Amino acid sequence: MDRLLKIMSEVRPDLDFEIEDKLIDDDILDSFDIIAIVSEVNFEFDIELNVNDLKPENFNSAEALYDLIIKVQNG
Amino acid sequence: MSLVSIQFLLFLIILIIVYFIVPKRLQWWVLLAANVVFYAFSGVSYLAYILITSAAAFIAGMALEKTSLQGQQLVAEAADSDRKKSVKAAITSRKKLIVAGAVVISMGIWGVLKYANFFIDNINSVGRLFGGAGNLEPVNLILPLGISFYTFNAVGYLIDIYRNKYRCERNFLKFFTYISFFPHIIEGPFSRYDRLSSNLFSGHRFSFDRLRYGALRVCWGYFEKTIIADKVGVTVETVFNNFRGYSGLNIAFAMVMYCIQLYADFQGYMDIVCGICEILGIELDENFRQPYFARSIDEFWRRWHLTLGTWFKDYIFYPVSMSRAGQKMGRAARKKWGAKMGKLVPGYFAMIFVWTTTGLWHGASWTYVIWGWLNMIAILSTMQFQDSYNKAKARLGIKTEGWAWQGILIIKTFCLVCLFRFFSYSGDLSAAVNIIGHTFSHFFTNLPGNLSGLFAGMEWKNIIAACAGILMLFVLDVIKEKGKWQEVREKCPLIVRDIIWIVLIVSLILLAGNQSDLQGGFMYAIY
């Protein structure tokens, strides 16, 4: 989780990802942020998140994204 | 069948009566029949094109779902993770093949009909460049009604099924009802199958409230189209057809009128079809959010033709920026220029595709591509220089939340939109450059003697009607912008609503009824 928080904070240093839980619903992250996060997550965690995973419920919070990463890692 | 015709009003009345007479489970059959009748009016032979596109998407959708289900079963049965991976890869490539086949069929028909002459022109130009004759003859092809809209709806459906976003439709007639749904076939909005189908096929009880609000919205839509768009369109045509005879001020004013015309025409269409759908109990996606209150070009495109923007975002922007090439570029940029560029470069890469396609979607010529790129450059430059821009504002002590600064941003954005539209209006690069050149070099020469001189070609009564209409449109947009539309709509006293009804109907009868272009089509229908 710490690795993910670091990635997200590097993309948007102005946000506290431990608190935010409506990143998509409240339009806090824009499309450029999402792409940058996905790209870094794919590289760091050696997984392949793709367009099919771009659902609000997967990106509303760091925790939700972490759950997705674990799910993809476990196949 | 034009939406602005007595014929269509009769069609609509019959549809509403029959729709609410039949049992709810049969209502979608009434819609299907209405769609076929409506489409056949544009030419029975064109039904073949829409049927082929629908059939290709329908069959491919079924095949995709079957392949996905088989894949899930095989993955569950796989002995180890390596085997699971190889099964998944095989299933994905099979699904890609199915999608590609169906997309080639539907996009192929659209591409050939819409872009054949554009390709012929380009082949001729290249041929001449290398000393050839370059004399390939243009072909005479007619675009079937709504082909750009139904093709994109069909392709969107296919990609959604490929992504397992929802289950495919198993009844071809229901699928055809969705694709050919007459309110969204002429000018959109682009719909998503999962959202629209849920209320398209669920059956609805008649509601007097919905009839009242829906009919008022339809009337307002006709008002926007015939009293605002069509009237100011006369000035636009008069000035641009003979721009050398007018001052730059006249041309700039005509361009402002063109922007109003385009908005009133397209929003008018949206109000008509959304009003019709409201009466039927069906919800269509909205296409506008007060676009001329945007403070940047980026924001403008998040307020103008929203459903086209989200289509491009979901099916072009994300796939391209998240492709291997896009991600590689992002990491390379991050290493070389830092985190900010690492974030922006994949998006920039995808925006080249998005804005080239947006340009070509609006018109098959390089002028439209340039118009798309101008919009892209305006958006990218704002993103690229955002930090310097913020620093400059802070240094100058500008109160960015104040109404004055917000007003300046709104006017700046509107001026840029106008400037870019010289290209999309003229459809020809050299003509656009000539008009812009003349506008700036003759801004104050040959000025009109009075106010009516600005509204070239318009009669006084039409000038007054159009100005009153524009004022109403502006007030409505201000109310919506302040987020008070729902409250106003619900709390509007009956007497005020009756007055609005009377004003709209009397204006339509007196002013629109005499017009020679009453049968005129909508501007976006040509796409």
Side-chain angles (χ1 to χ4, degrees):
Chain A
M1 186 70 178
D2 289 342
R3 267 161 84 201
L4 176 62
L5 286 171
K6 191 172 169 253
I7 290 170
M8 294 178 95
S9 304
E10 274 171 11
V11 174
R12 284 292 299 269
D14 55 319
L15 297 175
D16 184 351
F17 286 99
E18 286 186 74
I19 301 169
E20 300 287 356
D21 62 354
K22 284 187 177 167
L23 292 165
I24 305 296
D25 293 347
D26 288 352
D27 285 333
I28 298 170
L29 290 184
D30 65 25
S31 43
F32 281 71
D33 298 326
I34 296 168
I35 298 161
I37 291 170
V38 169
S39 173
E40 283 309 305
V41 163
N42 283 351
F43 186 67
E44 280 291 321
F45 291 87
D46 194 22
I47 54 171
E48 219 174 294
L49 296 184
N50 54 42
V51 189
N52 308 356
D53 301 309
L54 293 185
K55 294 169 188 162
E57 61 265 30
N58 289 337
F59 284 85
N60 260 332
S61 66
E63 212 180 322
L65 182 55
Y66 189 69
D67 289 344
L68 175 69
I69 294 168
I70 300 295
K71 200 175 127 191
V72 174
Q73 275 178 334
N74 293 337
Chain B
M1 190 189 315
S2 167
L3 254 64
V4 192
S5 65
I6 301 299
Q7 205 178 28
F8 179 74
L9 287 180
L10 283 174
F11 164 83
L12 196 59
I13 291 166
I14 294 168
L15 165 68
I16 293 167
I17 293 170
V18 178
Y19 185 79
F20 287 113
I21 283 177
V22 300
K24 279 198 274 182
R25 66 191 159 79
L26 298 180
Q27 281 177 333
W28 72 269
W29 283 94
V30 177
L31 290 179
L32 174 63
N35 295 343
V36 173
V37 169
F38 183 83
Y39 205 86
F41 265 91
S42 73
V44 178
S45 57
Y46 294 137
L47 274 166
Y49 294 104
I50 192 170
L51 273 166
I52 292 171
T53 301
S54 305
F58 176 76
I59 294 166
M62 299 262 282
L64 280 170
E65 194 168 280
K66 194 176 164 193
T67 311
S68 290
L69 292 174
Q70 278 173 350
Q72 281 167 16
Q73 204 176 339
L74 288 171
V75 168
E77 288 166 3
D80 53 53
S81 63
D82 283 346
R83 174 76 190 134
K84 275 184 186 176
K85 266 187 188 169
S86 69
V87 168
K88 272 185 187 171
I91 293 297
T92 306
S93 35
R94 200 190 301 170
K95 283 173 71 178
K96 276 183 182 164
L97 209 67
I98 296 168
V99 171
V103 169
V104 164
I105 293 172
S106 25
M107 285 282 192
I109 296 172
W110 170 72
V112 167
L113 292 177
K114 189 163 178 175
Y115 299 103
N117 284 330
F118 176 61
F119 282 117
I120 289 172
D121 273 355
N122 282 293
I123 291 167
N124 282 342
S125 301
V126 173
R128 280 193 291 270
L129 199 69
F130 290 101
N135 55 1
L136 280 176
E137 288 292 320
V139 284
N140 187 20
L141 297 170
I142 297 170
L143 280 179
L145 177 72
I147 188 165
S148 297
F149 292 95
Y150 73 66
T151 302
F152 276 48
N153 277 338
V155 170
Y157 165 82
L158 269 176
I159 300 174
D160 286 348
I161 300 293
Y162 169 80
R163 293 175 181 170
N164 297 322
K165 208 174 152 196
Y166 46 80
R167 303 289 304 268
C168 74
E169 176 56 62
R170 302 189 157 272
N171 179 336
F172 177 70
L173 291 178
K174 278 190 173 178
F175 185 68
F176 188 67
T177 306
Y178 161 72
I179 292 289
S180 63
F181 188 44
F182 80 91
H184 75 180
I185 207 158
I186 310 172
E187 290 192 350
F190 291 101
S191 306
R192 300 303 165 95
Y193 182 75
D194 52 340
R195 281 208 299 273
L196 186 59
S197 65
S198 61
N199 57 43
L200 205 55
F201 305 124
S202 55
H204 303 276
R205 193 177 287 177
F206 176 78
S207 149
F208 190 71
D209 259 0
R210 278 208 316 263
L211 175 69
R212 201 168 51 193
Y213 286 125
L216 191 57
R217 191 166 178 187
V218 171
C219 261
W220 171 241
Y222 279 120
F223 184 90
E224 286 171 295
K225 164 68 181 156
T226 57
I227 310 294
I228 306 175
D230 288 354
K231 302 286 186 217
V232 298
V234 174
T235 290
V236 176
E237 256 190 64
T238 309
V239 172
F240 282 109
N241 284 351
N242 177 29
F243 70 92
R244 291 200 188 278
Y246 290 93
S247 69
L249 181 68
N250 265 104
I251 299 172
F253 184 77
M255 182 42 76
V256 171
M257 288 299 113
Y258 174 61
C259 289
I260 292 170
Q261 181 195 8
L262 208 53
Y263 180 41
D265 188 282
F266 201 178
Q267 177 64 58
Y269 164 84
M270 282 302 298
D271 283 327
I272 293 169
V273 295
C274 288
I276 292 169
C277 285
E278 185 166 358
I279 296 170
L280 300 174
I282 297 162
E283 205 181 319
L284 275 186
D285 287 335
E286 295 288 344
N287 245 344
F288 294 97
R289 217 164 33 83
Q290 304 80 256
Y292 294 140
F293 288 144
R295 292 155 190 86
S296 67
I297 293 292
D298 177 34
E299 192 189 344
F300 174 78
W301 283 103
R302 279 184 274 120
R303 289 166 173 261
W304 179 277
H305 208 173
L306 297 171
T307 57
L308 178 71
T310 47
W311 198 98
F312 280 132
K313 192 163 108 180
D314 288 351
Y315 304 121
I316 298 182
F317 181 82
Y318 279 129
V320 175
S321 57
M322 289 173 66
S323 64
R324 286 207 179 111
Q327 294 197 19
K328 228 181 222 178
M329 278 183 202
R331 277 195 296 278
R334 188 187 169 88
K335 239 182 218 171
K336 202 163 184 186
W337 297 303
K340 186 187 165 189
M341 288 309 288
K343 173 174 140 181
L344 295 177
V345 164
Y348 288 178
F349 173 60
M351 281 174 83
I352 296 170
F353 288 86
V354 169
W355 284 101
T356 306
T357 320
T358 304
L360 281 173
W361 186 86
H362 282 85
S365 85
W366 285 106
T367 314
Y368 282 98
V369 176
I370 288 169
W371 166 80
W373 288 346
L374 286 172
N375 280 282
M376 178 181 74
I377 290 165
I379 295 169
L380 297 190
S381 54
T382 310
M383 287 178 154
Q384 187 63 43
F385 302 113
Q386 192 65 48
D387 295 343
S388 326
Y389 182 57
N390 289 341
K391 275 180 201 161
K393 278 189 294 187
R395 201 171 295 166
L396 293 169
I398 294 168
K399 287 179 187 165
T400 52
E401 296 306 314
W403 64 269
W405 180 249
Q406 295 295 318
I408 290 170
L409 292 182
I410 289 170
I411 292 168
K412 174 214 74 177
T413 306
F414 185 70
C415 289
L416 273 177
V417 169
C418 288
L419 185 66
F420 297 163
R421 280 190 178 151
F422 275 106
F423 291 88
S424 57
Y425 179 83
S426 56
D428 177 272
L429 195 57
S430 61
V433 172
N434 283 339
I435 299 173
I436 294 170
H438 182 85
T439 306
F440 288 107
S441 61
H442 294 77
F443 203 83
F444 293 114
T445 55
N446 197 18
L447 286 172
N450 53 35
L451 185 68
S452 69
L454 276 176
F455 292 91
M458 280 174 75
E459 295 172 36
W460 263 111
K461 65 168 187 176
N462 287 344
I463 296 174
I464 294 167
C467 287
I470 292 167
L471 186 68
M472 283 163 76
L473 185 59
F474 176 73
V475 171
L476 203 64
D477 271 9
V478 171
I479 295 171
K480 286 182 185 171
E481 187 66 10
K482 286 180 181 290
K484 299 204 169 153
W485 173 237
Q486 208 52 35
E487 193 186 328
V488 169
R489 184 177 138 137
E490 277 159 18
K491 289 184 181 167
C492 181
L494 214 57
I495 180 80
V496 176
R497 212 162 17 195
D498 288 344
I499 291 170
I500 296 172
W501 264 112
I502 292 164
V503 168
L504 289 181
I505 290 173
V506 169
S507 323
L508 286 170
I509 292 169
L510 291 181
L511 295 158
N514 296 329
Q515 234 169 290
S516 58
D517 57 357
L518 185 64
Q519 302 285 329
F522 285 83
M523 296 167 90
Y524 259 70
I526 57 166
Y527 302 127

